[in-house]
């Protein structure tokens, strides 16, 4: 709307305020909001950072002023001092995911290593479609003192810095070489952060001199601004085409992904299943989108899925993907769906994902599209025979999993026993977090999620070390929930140090640390690919063989966790674990429960395949055998054209 002011006030006479780029960016961010379904929230939940010469005078000074000497009415933005930049972005991802992508954290790092430490989690955020705002510092825009400490000098182009490494892993990337560039770039960054179809890592590189440089900013740049998070509705013709394909199906199957959870469409998904009887399988990000007890819920699909879902997937004639990226784990490397004429209908807010597998595309928000689809399918029910089969495979898988999580009586408990106990102990509003190792597969197969928020698996990037820092983010976003990070010893050793941050913040999380002395997951993978578990267990170097097959690695993770300020309980066996969990839950302090588990399993039975290549030529007989099996399995791979 044009105001009289806008008509009558020449641009040069409009009010301005003199601030540095750091101060201006912080003030701008503090005034951004999101709105979805009529609820408005501040977009910026907080800033995390580690200071160095790149940001101490820019964003560091701005944050100091914001905390120590705020202007009247200025919002003080929470600031968290992280211990490692990779970890702090994991925390930001954990936060944004728990906040259904409606609020974000900004992460400021110094130039050079501080910044490049954020490249890995930038990729994680982009792949997982989770918004984070990254503010790596950059070398002088003026280049006056070049080369500054930590500067990459590219002899071909002085324009290149280490921050160019963020380009391929960011959904939006800019370098602010002049203050006024921020006026267009900051809102563009907000648009990407708040767009469910585009979101991921958003990177604004801030040269260290520019961060501290003053400029006369239009006051209007800092106005209260609301970014409306859209729920795009399906185009009627696209919906009609989708409904027609589904109506023709004899054996349809829904694959529910993270998009269902982030859009808050769990109820709408259940309503579709209840009305039509279509079985619903889920992905790692989509688990809990349909509650485990729903008669149409058949569990995870794909490489680490349930036998129930995989049996139905193998014969499905129409696969309805809702909010899924169809990773290789979901499609079992394109072998899960074996019907010769299988067709796909994809509902996704991102056209990029909707188009996968030559699908009938419905580009829309899940919560907007599912009720419309249920209505368009009015009167459609799956054939009686399929409904009976769904009940049968559900019951069969329930039997398998119940037996698996029951006490096995081994010298060491299997991790599946720990997960069974944890599944009983966790409340509906509590959150379990995991990312890598042998745990995600077991959890996807076994975990009975009762709510969409309970199960938080980072399995797009499957990044070891995500678990503990992400738990901090989840706890900040859901302070009333118990947040439990399950982490393997390998994952723990990658990034334990955020325990110190969590303790310093007086936050309480529970860490379940599964000690199996190495990589159970990659050990099993190595064995199945003929590489005989080489280099996958933590042992000392053996002087006589020259290899890592000496005595047990003397690392003491109990002492390590304690040294970072956490309480630690050592549990031996499942009864002990239950007692430890009760103590940890009753405590107000961050507690690590350390438990030795059997690296050899048992693990849930496999009903699927994952494409990991095997050496085509080898002296090892184990590798040659594995290659034979690989060639055989690969025959089932399909392009889904
Ligand atoms: C950052 C990172 N590096 C390497 C990998 C490859 N990788 C996947 S699982 C795994 C071992 C994990 O060990 P641990 O956390 O002890 O879990 P376990 O396999 O014993 O269950 C490795 C090395 C990864 N996913 N992430
Ligand atoms: Mg391990």
């Amino acid at each position: 709307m044009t105001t009289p002011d806008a008509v009558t006030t020449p641009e040069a006479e409009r009010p301005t305020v003199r601030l540095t780029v750091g101060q201006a960016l912080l003030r701008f961010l503090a005034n951004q909001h999101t709105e979805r379904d009529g609820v408005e929230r501040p977009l910026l939940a907080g800033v995390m950072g580690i200071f160095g010469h790149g940001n101490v005078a820019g964003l560091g000074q701005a944050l100091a002023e914001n905390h120590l000497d705020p202007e009247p009415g200025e919002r003080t933005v929470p600031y968290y001092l992280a211990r490692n930049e990779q970890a702090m972005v994991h925390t930001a991802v954990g936060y944004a995911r728990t906040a259904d992508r409606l609020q974000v954290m900004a992460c400021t790092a110094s130039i050079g290593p501080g910044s490049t430490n954020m490249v890995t989690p930038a990729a994680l955020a982009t792949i997982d479609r989770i918004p984070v705002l990254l503010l790596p510092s950059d070398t002088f825009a003026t280049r006056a003192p070049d080369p500054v400490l930590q500067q990459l000098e590219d002899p071909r182009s002085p324009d290149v810095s280490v921050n160019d490494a963020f380009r391929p892993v960011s959904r939006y990337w800019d370098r602010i070489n002049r203050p006024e560039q921020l006026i267009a770039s900051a809102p563009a960054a907000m648009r990407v952060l708040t767009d469910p179809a585009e979101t991921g890592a958003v990177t604004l590189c801030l040269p260290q001199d520019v961060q501290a440089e003053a400029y006369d900013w239009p006051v209007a740049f800092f106005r209260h601004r609301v970014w409306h998070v859209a729920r795009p509705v399906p185009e009627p013709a696209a919906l009609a085409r989708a409904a027609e394909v589904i109506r023709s199906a004899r054996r349809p199957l829904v694959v529910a992904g993270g998009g269902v959870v982030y859009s808050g469409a769990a109820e709408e998904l259940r309503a579709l299943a209840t009305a039509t009887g279509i079985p619903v399988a889920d992905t790692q990000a989509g688990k809990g989108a349909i509650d485990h007890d729903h008669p149409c819920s058949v569990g995870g699909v794909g490489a680490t899925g349930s036998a129930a879902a995989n049996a139905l997937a193998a014969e499905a004639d129409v696969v309805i993907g809702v909010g899924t990226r169809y990773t290789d784990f979901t499609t079992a490397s394109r072998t899960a769906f074996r019907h010769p004429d299988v067709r796909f209908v994809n509902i996704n807010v991102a056209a990029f994902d909707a188009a996968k597998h030559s699908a009938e595309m419905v580009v829309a928000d899940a919560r907007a599209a599912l009720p419309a689809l249920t209505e368009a399918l009015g009167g459609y029910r799956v054939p009686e025979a399929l409904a009976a089969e769904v009940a049968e495979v559900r019951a069969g898988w329930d039997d398998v999993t119940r037996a698996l999580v029951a006490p096995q009586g081994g010298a060491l408990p299997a991790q599946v026993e720990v997960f069974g106990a944890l599944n009983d102990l966790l409340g509906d509003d509590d959150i379990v977090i995991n990312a890598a190792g042998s745990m995600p597969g077991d959890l996807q197969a076994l975990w009975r999620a009762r709510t969409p928020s309970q199960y938080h698996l980072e399995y797009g990037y499957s990044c070891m070390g995500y678990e503990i820092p992400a738990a901090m983010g989840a706890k900040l976003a859901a302070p009333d929930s118990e947040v439990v990070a399950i982490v393997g010893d390998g994952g723990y050793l990658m990034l334990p140090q955020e325990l110190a941050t969590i303790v310093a913040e007086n936050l309480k999380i529970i860490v379940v640390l599964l000690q199996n002395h190495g990589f159970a997951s990659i050990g099993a993978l190595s064995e199945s690919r003929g590489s005989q578990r080489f280099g996958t267990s933590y042992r000392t170097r053996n002087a006589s063989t020259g290899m890592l097959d000496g005595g047990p690695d003397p690392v003491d993770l109990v002492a390590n966790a304690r040294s970072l300020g956490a309480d630690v309980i050592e549990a031996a066996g499942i009864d002990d674990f239950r007692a430890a969990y009760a103590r940890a839950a009753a405590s107000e302090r961050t507690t690590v429960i350390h438990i030795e588990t059997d690296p050899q399993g048992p693990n849930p039975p496999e009903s699927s395949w994952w494409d990991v290549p095997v050496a085509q030529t080898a002296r090892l007989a184990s590798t040659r055998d594995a290659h034979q099996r690989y060639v055989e399995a690969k025959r089932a791979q399909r392009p889904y054209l």
Side-chain angles (χ1 to χ4, degrees), residues 240-249 317-318 343-345 360 377:
R241 286 192 295 268
E244 195 186 323
V245 173
I246 298 168
R247 276 183 184 282
S248 73
D317 54 358
V318 173
R343 281 184 297 170
F344 293 79
V345 171
E360 202 58 74
L377 290 174

Side-chain angles (χ1 to χ4, degrees), residues 382-607:
V382 297
E384 272 308 313
L386 179 63
E389 196 180 320
V390 168
E392 192 182 316
V393 292
R394 258 176 66 80
W397 184 246
D398 261 11
D399 291 345
V400 170
T401 55
R402 262 182 236 288
L404 204 64
V405 300
Q408 310 278 325
L412 287 174
Q415 70 185 24
V416 288
E417 296 174 59
V418 178
F419 299 158
L422 202 56
N423 206 168
D424 293 344
L425 293 162
L426 234 64
D428 287 2
D429 295 327
D430 297 339
I431 300 170
V432 63
I433 298 186
N434 184 245
S438 58
M439 297 146 282
D442 288 6
L443 288 165
Q444 195 193 14
L446 299 173
W447 194 269
R448 297 150 190 262
R450 297 183 292 266
T451 62
S453 57
Q454 200 188 39
Y455 187 85
H456 180 139
L457 256 282
E458 191 287 292
Y459 214 61
Y461 212 41
S462 186
C463 187
M464 291 167 74
Y466 174 82
E467 307 86 346
I468 293 172
M472 170 173 164
K475 186 68 183 181
L476 287 170
D480 298 331
S481 300
E482 200 74 83
V483 178
V484 181
I486 300 176
V487 59
D489 55 319
Y492 179 87
L493 283 169
M494 283 252 178
L495 272 182
Q497 64 278 68
E498 256 17 63
L499 276 175
T501 310
I502 293 167
V503 170
E505 292 290 346
N506 301 314
L507 293 169
K508 185 267 176 97
I509 65 159
I510 298 176
V511 176
V512 175
L513 171 50
L514 300 175
Q515 172 59 286
N516 59 17
H517 305 279
F519 307 161
S521 51
I522 309 300
L525 181 67
S526 163
E527 189 171 316
S528 71
R529 297 320 190 258
S531 302
Q532 304 185 19
R533 294 186 177 252
F534 176 80
T536 60
S537 69
Y538 291 140
R539 307 193 69 92
T540 54
R541 188 157 308 277
N542 183 341
S544 59
T545 63
M547 296 201 292
L548 287 175
D549 58 0
D553 177 359
V555 66
D556 183 350
L557 298 185
V558 171
N560 182 284
R562 210 166 264 148
S563 78
L564 294 171
D567 288 349
V568 184
I569 307 175
E570 287 182 80
I574 292 302
D575 290 342
D576 218 23
F577 175 77
R578 285 180 184 271
Y581 186 87
R583 270 175 62 199
S587 168
E588 286 179 2
R589 285 178 43 79
T590 284
T591 306
V592 175
I593 304 174
H594 176 279
I595 182 163
E596 292 257 355
T597 51
D598 190 338
Q600 305 277 358
N603 305 93
E606 281 178 26
S607 54

Side-chain angles (χ1 to χ4, degrees), residues 169 232 334 510:
V169 292
R334 302 188 184 221
I510 298 176

Side-chain angles (χ1 to χ4, degrees), residues 108-443:
T108 171
S110 191
I111 62 172
S115 286
T116 52
N117 267 354
M118 301 198 294
V119 173
T120 291
L124 180 152
T126 290
I127 287 166
D128 291 348
R129 319 276 160 84
I130 303 291
V132 287
L133 177 60
L134 305 182
L135 306 172
S137 300
D138 222 317
T139 49
F140 277 76
T142 61
R143 301 180 188 161
D146 282 10
V148 298
L149 180 68
Q150 302 169 334
Q151 176 165 349
L152 171 81
E153 288 184 279
D154 186 334
R156 297 160 300 177
S157 169
D159 193 35
V160 172
S161 88
V162 293
N163 287 341
D164 286 82
F166 285 94
R167 285 180 188 261
V169 292
S170 299
R171 297 306 305 261
Y172 181 83
W173 185 98
D174 198 4
R175 181 178 285 127
I176 306 299
N177 281 313
R178 294 197 46 81
E180 55 268 50
Q181 290 175 338
L182 195 63
I183 293 174
S185 202
M190 300 303 104
R191 169 183 60 74
V192 176
L193 282 173
T194 58
D195 180 343
E198 279 198 67
T199 201
V202 166
T203 304
L204 294 178
C205 308
L206 302 169
Q208 62 180 115
D209 51 347
V210 179
Q211 267 187 67
E213 191 174 335
Y215 181 75
D216 294 310
W217 304 88
V219 168
F221 182 55
F222 305 109
R223 71 177 172 81
H224 180 107
R225 178 145 191 197
V226 181
W227 297 86
H228 300 282
V229 180
R231 291 194 179 281
V233 295
E235 188 201 1
L239 190 73
R241 286 192 295 268
E244 195 186 323
V245 173
I246 298 168
R247 276 183 184 282
S248 73
R250 307 278 311 150
R251 301 184 60 90
L253 176 72
V254 168
V255 175
V260 181
V261 177
Y262 308 141
S263 114
E267 255 176 55
E268 289 73 9
L269 178 64
R270 286 167 211 186
L272 172 87
T274 305
T276 61
I278 301 176
V280 179
D282 44 34
T283 70
Q284 288 278 17
K287 189 185 265 296
I290 190 159
D291 48 310
H292 176 268
D293 293 332
H294 190 288
C296 293
S297 165
V298 293
V301 68
T304 50
S306 73
N310 282 331
L312 295 167
E315 293 184 41
D317 54 358
V318 173
V319 177
I320 307 154
V322 190
T324 177
R325 307 167 47 224
Y326 286 111
T327 73
D328 63 345
F329 267 76
T330 296
T331 67
S333 305
R334 302 188 184 221
T335 63
F337 310 112
R338 293 174 179 230
H339 189 291
D341 301 316
V342 61
R343 281 184 297 170
F344 293 79
V345 171
N346 292 339
I347 299 172
N348 207 298
V349 74
F352 176 76
D353 290 315
K356 288 175 177 172
H357 301 328
S358 323
E360 202 58 74
M361 297 164 64
V362 180
V363 180
D365 169 65
R367 183 147 142 192
L370 287 169
L373 183 63
T374 306
E375 197 183 318
L377 290 174
Y380 171 83
R381 291 242 4 131
V382 297
E384 272 308 313
L386 179 63
E389 196 180 320
V390 168
E392 192 182 316
V393 292
R394 258 176 66 80
W397 184 246
D398 261 11
D399 291 345
V400 170
T401 55
R402 262 182 236 288
L404 204 64
V405 300
Q408 310 278 325
L412 287 174
Q415 70 185 24
V416 288
E417 296 174 59
V418 178
F419 299 158
L422 202 56
N423 206 168
D424 293 344
L425 293 162
L426 234 64
D428 287 2
D429 295 327
D430 297 339
I431 300 170
V432 63
I433 298 186
N434 184 245
S438 58
M439 297 146 282
D442 288 6
L443 288 165

